[in-house]
Amino acid sequence: MSSPVRQSRGLYTVWISTLLAAALIPAAYAQNAQRSVQDVVQKESVLELRLNDGVVQFRPYAANLIETSFTPSDAASPPPSHAVVMKPLQVPVRLRQDKEQIEFRAGDMLLKISKSPYQVSYFYKDRHLLSEQQGFHQAGAVQAVDFSISQDEVLYGAGARALGMNRRGHRLPLYNKAHYGYEERSEQMNFSMPLVYSSKLYGIHFDNASTGFLDLDSQKNNRLAFEANGGRQTYQIFAADKWEHLVATYTTLTGKQPLPARWVLGNFASRFGYHTEQEARTIVQKYKAETIPLDAIIFDLFWFGKEVKGSMGNLAFDRDSFPQPEKMMADFAKQGVKTILITEPFILTTSKRWKEASEQRILATDMQGNAATYDFYFGHTGLIDVFDPVAKDWFWNIYAGLKKQGVSGWWGDLGEPEVHPAHVQHKTGSADQVHNIYGHEWAKLIAQGYQKHYPNERPFILMRAGYSGSQHYGMIPWSGDVNRTWGGLRSQPEIALQMGMQGMAYMHSDLGGFAGANLDDELYARWLQYGVFQPVFRPHAQEEVASEPVLRSAHAKALAKAAIELRYQLLPYNYTLSFLNHQRGLPLMRPLFFAEPANPGLQADASSYFWGNDFLVHPVLQAGQKQAEIYFPKNGPWLDFYTGQRYAASSRATVPLQADRIPVFVRAGAWIPQVQGLQNTAQFDVSKLDLHYYYDEEQTQSDGMLYDDDGLTANAYESRAYAIMRFRAQKQQALPTRQKQLTLSFDHEYGKQYIAKDRNWRLVVHQIKQRPQSVKLNQQDAAFTWDAEKQELTVDLAWKARQQLRMQVLWAEAEK
């Protein structure tokens, strides 16, 4: 939710214009041309160079990750990082130098440094990555660092933008700013990040939270630059051989995402907004009556006030409209439905808490130390200073009190902050110094509150604005107030893919679109069908046109219901993806170039993507589209998820489109666990599910896994209260009898605190084109069925809790 009017951005416009003008002042080339190394000191694994104008430190963090920091001679030590949580590992280093050059090797990273003039180049496994041009320097009113990059590399990153996957050629503001009603293009959005990835498989994170710019070769002169309005002069460079390892390195540096509760992967009822308790009860009842699965309901700002304006900051239920909120939430909980409330960091002077907030001095101040107030769309306001320990305690106590009433999750809106004048002062700096980390600190406040007061619970923190590493505090970001149009839908895969690469794996959109009273059932259905294969399934919109499927036309409702049911069927697969993200930092949505990093045709492609490792998804993004041209990556072959039609790896095909689904394909050799009949995730039981194996002649061996815990307890894996079930398939030729044998193995890993129980699963093996001669389970004949038309073999698996299973499928080789 955001205001449809942007009338209070004048102060921001003045600031950004000033910074733009300053950045155009020619850099001090003479100063840096005269910069030279005066002394070389090695302190254990850290290389320190004393220059004529300051000190540079190179600190290895891992074999493929090194940090570079510059401290000018007249400057104090830099403040601590807001993003980095990793502790440096022990990395073997080697230093060589002569009169002209220094070579510093740290693990797989190599630095070649010219002493006079000072200049550094970075290599990974002796492969050149990039080189500093001037190093850190003052460029008018801003401090900058720039690099020479190669002509052909594609650049990604810079946070949430809608620009096309290749962001090279743009000069991008690093200033979190809402963009109401955007569609296919948005250069500046709620979530900026000083992070750049290259198609050469390296990344560079500028470890400075100040407002500024990322220049991704906007002048077409092979120059990458970071410019900041003060702050740390530090960056980390990292490289890898695979995209998965590159992203994992960054998320190790800035923190892995905690595993969310299983219900977060369910369906949400949401709109702007539910005005009364009765209205909310009616909506939940409609979901139940239509047997459409539901796990949560989200309350927009009407929970604390009857009107859009004037009441923000009340932070308490309006008892006229919600006379019994505790009972309402308890009743919802009995039906498996969680309650989530919107909160904002603004306290209006007309709100019921203004006097309290002023007296307790929990608001950001002006230059004179008084509560800073200003106008924006919702009224005359102050801003909670989330950088002040007193204000943090005050805000947390609000959350704790609402939680005791029955609230299960939190929506933090307008956290850029939406209006943040430059004169506003916070406990740790000015508005410009802390603007981009406001949402980050807000999420941290809630996360740390749970860790202290509710250590066994997993918080739900939905926010649209943050910073590098916000995933470490469990932030679930969404893509802001997108227009309810086909153009709005077309930008969503790019935004989610880019943010997943940057650690924010749960980036998602308001399904169906948010802004505008556009009633388009085809758009709505296609957006929800895409939503099945993106991180959070949450239809949400302005209320003029319903976002909830239960309020749509019969046709749209039927399509939406089918999409939601498929979402729930894939719950065990999706929860395993969440676990892999938590453990390895792997995105849930992944670009095709993850499989083919050297394929130039894929490096800027977001038309299709991977959902985890095993699904290839092609969203339908055009009205009335009848067919789609789809590329099938080389990590196939690929099988149509609905029909079983096979597509060769590295091939292209024109695929006809169906109204009831988007094109989805399963990787040959994949193991896909599914569950049937859920109405909410609380009904999930790992002892009863379907396990699908997609057999293919080309796959001689394939592995899969399923992760399980109670879906609620924080740190379940770390506390050993988990199970991992592992599956393996091996194909063998049983010559000379001209028979083929497929061996399927089922094993498990239990944490000591996990209560294991027997499982009764249905195993479905796809693409079995002949009736098997026999199926044996642990050497005993097993009953099976074979569907000749579907080419599916089905076996009931009675899998004892502590048992290992081994199944052999034997059939005659077909005559040639």
Side-chain angles (χ1 to χ4, degrees):
M1 181 274 299
S2 183
S3 54
V5 178
R6 292 292 180 266
Q7 56 188 1
S8 304
R9 304 307 297 176
L11 287 168
Y12 164 75
T13 303
V14 171
W15 174 86
I16 210 77
S17 299
T18 302
L19 186 55
L20 270 167
L24 293 174
I25 297 173
Y29 284 100
Q31 171 194 348
N32 293 307
Q34 297 171 4
R35 181 179 284 167
S36 61
V37 177
Q38 307 293 305
D39 194 13
V40 179
V41 179
Q42 183 177 343
K43 299 178 180 179
E44 296 181 342
S45 62
V46 178
L47 176 64
E48 183 174 286
L49 304 183
R50 295 172 185 169
L51 311 181
N52 54 308
D53 62 347
V55 175
V56 178
Q57 278 194 340
F58 302 99
R59 183 182 302 275
Y61 270 71
N64 65 334
L65 168 61
I66 195 163
E67 178 181 271
T68 301
S69 297
F70 175 64
T71 305
S73 299
D74 57 352
S77 298
S81 172
H82 293 285
V84 173
V85 299
M86 182 184 181
K87 302 299 182 186
L89 304 176
Q90 290 294 322
V91 178
V93 300
R94 187 177 67 195
L95 175 65
R96 291 181 177 178
Q97 62 173 316
D98 55 29
K99 292 183 179 180
E100 298 181 349
Q101 184 167 296
I102 301 166
E103 285 195 359
F104 182 62
R105 189 177 295 274
D108 292 325
M109 302 296 288
L110 171 65
L111 282 61
K112 292 186 177 181
I113 304 166
S114 170
K115 289 186 175 180
S116 183
Y118 168 77
Q119 200 260 350
V120 57
S121 296
Y122 294 91
F123 298 77
Y124 170 72
K125 294 184 177 178
D126 297 319
R127 170 170 61 88
H128 180 251
L129 303 177
L130 75 173
S131 303
E132 276 192 4
Q133 288 189 354
Q134 302 173 69
F136 285 102
H137 62 278
Q138 199 69 26
V142 301
Q143 60 189 35
V145 60
D146 55 3
F147 300 84
S148 296
I149 58 175
S150 58
Q151 187 171 355
D152 58 347
E153 59 191 292
V154 175
L155 299 179
Y156 313 95
R161 322 267 177 172
L163 299 168
M165 285 296 284
N166 185 3
R167 295 180 171 178
R168 186 165 183 164
H170 295 279
R171 177 177 169 78
L172 300 173
L174 293 172
Y175 189 94
N176 292 351
K177 178 175 179 277
H179 185 169
Y180 176 81
Y182 72 92
E183 295 190 0
E184 292 184 73
R185 184 172 182 83
S186 180
E187 289 194 357
Q188 187 173 12
M189 294 178 67
N190 317 77
F191 211 120
S192 61
M193 249 193 278
L195 172 64
V196 181
Y197 284 112
S198 166
S199 58
K200 289 173 62 175
L201 286 170
Y202 71 83
I204 179 166
H205 175 244
F206 299 98
D207 194 3
N208 183 344
S210 297
T211 52
F213 285 88
L214 266 178
D215 193 316
L216 305 182
D217 194 27
S218 66
Q219 300 302 308
K220 312 298 184 187
N221 58 357
N222 302 324
R223 176 177 178 267
L224 166 66
F226 170 75
E227 302 160 5
N229 188 27
R232 291 164 56 84
Q233 300 190 68
T234 299
Y235 60 82
Q236 295 93 23
I237 286 182
F238 49 101
D241 301 313
K242 295 181 178 181
W243 273 104
E244 291 87 346
H245 296 162
L246 190 69
V247 173
T249 300
Y250 170 74
T251 54
T252 300
L253 176 71
T254 59
K256 299 291 196 301
Q257 178 109 18
L259 183 62
R262 188 152 36 214
W263 62 264
V264 174
L265 300 174
N267 177 36
F268 292 66
S270 184
R271 76 160 83 139
F272 176 29
Y274 300 116
H275 295 257
T276 66
E277 179 178 329
Q278 186 55 51
E279 189 176 30
R281 286 182 178 274
T282 299
I283 284 292
V284 171
Q285 184 54 42
K286 284 182 179 293
Y287 277 93
K288 300 302 178 183
E290 298 282 356
T291 62
I292 295 178
L294 182 67
D295 261 87
I297 182 169
I298 302 182
F299 288 86
D300 211 314
L301 51 78
F302 297 112
W303 72 272
F304 55 73
K306 297 177 180 62
E307 304 295 334
V308 171
K309 298 182 180 181
S311 58
M312 188 173 289
N314 284 350
L315 294 171
F317 277 99
D318 176 1
R319 295 282 173 162
D320 291 338
S321 301
F322 296 86
Q324 295 181 293
E326 296 88 350
K327 186 176 187 307
M328 176 190 72
M329 290 186 283
D331 290 345
F332 287 164
K334 291 175 184 176
Q335 301 175 72
V337 177
K338 311 291 185 183
T339 299
I340 299 164
L341 299 183
I342 194 172
T343 56
E344 298 90 357
F346 295 97
I347 308 293
L348 300 189
T349 58
T350 53
S351 75
K352 295 176 182 178
R353 292 194 188 268
W354 172 255
K355 185 173 184 292
E356 174 188 347
S358 300
E359 290 177 350
Q360 296 195 27
R361 303 185 65 80
I362 58 94
L363 300 171
T365 66
D366 58 21
M367 293 293 194
Q368 289 72 45
N370 302 312
T373 60
Y374 45 89
D375 292 325
F376 81 137
Y377 176 78
F378 298 96
H380 195 63
T381 193
L383 178 66
I384 299 172
D385 188 356
V386 298
F387 303 93
D388 184 340
V390 174
K392 289 167 68 173
D393 287 344
W394 182 90
F395 208 5
W396 169 250
N397 286 334
I398 299 293
Y399 285 115
L402 290 166
K403 187 180 185 307
K404 289 177 182 177
Q405 291 180 356
V407 180
S408 297
W410 310 104
W411 173 9
D413 199 19
L414 314 182
E416 294 77 25
E418 181 163 308
V419 182
H420 202 194
H423 74 275
V424 172
Q425 302 297 305
H426 293 269
K427 191 74 171 180
T428 58
S430 68
D432 288 348
Q433 290 171 324
V434 303
H435 177 83
N436 287 339
I437 52 171
Y438 190 95
H440 181 83
E441 288 294 316
W442 187 7
K444 182 179 178 181
L445 179 161
I446 298 173
Q448 291 183 339
Y450 270 77
Q451 290 167 4
K452 181 177 180 179
H453 298 282
Y454 309 104
N456 293 325
E457 296 187 32
R458 307 179 194 178
F460 175 78
I461 307 170
L462 176 69
M463 291 188 175
R464 74 183 190 189
Y467 177 65
S468 307
S470 289
Q471 75 278 352
H472 183 58
Y473 301 109
M475 184 188 288
I476 305 286
W478 93 97
S479 59
D481 296 336
V482 60
N483 228 15
R484 193 172 354 202
T485 60
W486 288 93
L489 172 58
R490 280 191 285 273
S491 60
Q492 297 312 305
E494 173 202 342
I495 293 170
L497 289 167
Q498 289 269 0
M499 288 292 278
M501 293 167 61
Q502 297 173 78
M504 304 304 301
Y506 291 88
M507 172 58 80
H508 65 286
S509 63
D510 289 341
L511 296 182
F514 174 80
N518 181 21
L519 178 59
D520 183 335
D521 281 349
E522 182 190 8
L523 171 66
Y524 180 76
R526 291 307 194 193
W527 211 318
L528 267 62
Q529 289 164 357
Y530 157 69
V532 174
F533 300 94
Q534 54 108 63
V536 175
F537 197 97
R538 189 182 54 83
H540 178 71
Q542 291 173 337
E543 63 184 335
E544 291 81 1
V545 173
S547 57
E548 304 93 335
V550 293
L551 299 178
R552 300 297 290 241
S553 69
H555 177 66
K557 180 166 58 179
L559 293 175
K561 182 177 181 180
I564 294 167
E565 288 174 343
L566 177 57
R567 174 75 175 189
Y568 276 77
Q569 288 168 25
L570 294 174
L571 179 64
Y573 176 84
N574 293 346
Y575 194 59
T576 301
L577 289 189
S578 292
F579 170 72
L580 293 173
N581 167 258
H582 168 55
Q583 288 294 300
R584 305 177 193 172
L586 296 176
L588 282 68
M589 293 173 63
R590 305 169 193 175
L592 297 190
F593 58 73
F594 270 42
E596 299 182 41
N599 185 341
L602 299 182
Q603 289 174 347
D605 185 9
S607 62
S608 299
Y609 61 89
F610 298 120
W611 178 242
N613 187 53
D614 296 320
F615 281 102
L616 172 67
V617 180
H618 186 90
V620 177
L621 306 177
Q622 301 285 345
Q625 188 175 348
K626 302 300 182 184
Q627 59 186 26
E629 180 78 16
I630 297 176
Y631 174 72
F632 296 91
K634 70 178 185 180
N635 59 334
W638 295 91
L639 307 171
D640 189 297
F641 182 56
Y642 301 97
T643 69
Q645 183 172 342
R646 186 180 187 277
Y647 296 88
S650 303
S651 69
R652 290 188 179 274
T654 300
V655 175
L657 299 182
Q658 309 296 325
D660 63 343
R661 59 184 184 264
I662 59 174
V664 178
F665 308 89
V666 183
R667 185 180 55 80
W671 295 84
I672 308 294
Q674 298 185 38
V675 64
Q676 303 296 326
L678 296 184
Q679 286 297 293
N680 58 68
T681 59
Q683 297 172 350
F684 176 76
D685 183 352
V686 75
S687 69
K688 298 176 183 178
L689 55 77
D690 298 340
L691 180 61
H692 293 257
Y693 173 63
Y694 290 84
Y695 171 76
D696 189 81
E697 290 285 342
E698 291 186 14
Q699 301 293 322
T700 58
Q701 179 175 308
S702 60
D703 297 286
M705 66 171 285
L706 168 66
Y707 174 80
D708 183 56
D709 58 26
D710 68 3
L712 292 171
T713 304
N715 301 311
Y717 179 76
E718 293 77 6
S719 301
R720 311 291 290 171
Y722 72 92
I724 296 176
M725 283 142 270
R726 303 186 189 279
F727 323 118
R728 168 165 289 190
Q730 291 179 295
K731 188 183 76 170
Q732 298 169 318
Q733 293 291 129
L735 296 175
T737 58
R738 299 189 63 81
Q739 288 181 319
K740 291 187 291 185
Q741 179 175 293
L742 176 65
T743 301
L744 305 176
S745 303
F746 307 85
D747 203 350
H748 51 251
E749 172 191 330
Y750 294 144
K752 292 182 179 179
Q753 303 303 316
Y754 183 82
I755 301 174
K757 56 184 178 180
D758 296 346
R759 282 147 286 183
N760 292 291
W761 288 6
R762 187 174 71 106
L763 173 68
V764 181
V765 184
H766 296 258
Q767 305 298 311
I768 300 297
K769 299 178 181 179
Q770 300 168 256
R771 180 181 179 84
Q773 294 176 331
S774 68
V775 175
K776 292 185 179 294
L777 196 58
N778 283 0
Q779 305 301 319
Q780 301 296 315
D781 287 334
F784 67 90
T785 59
W786 177 67
D787 187 318
E789 182 178 353
K790 294 182 178 180
Q791 298 183 344
E792 291 178 357
L793 168 68
T794 302
V795 181
D796 289 331
L797 293 182
W799 188 1
K800 298 293 184 182
R802 300 288 173 178
Q803 183 185 34
Q804 293 180 336
L805 290 182
R806 187 176 177 88
M807 189 173 91
Q808 286 92 23
V809 182
L810 195 67
W811 64 93
E813 187 173 355
E815 295 292 334
K816 295 182 180 179

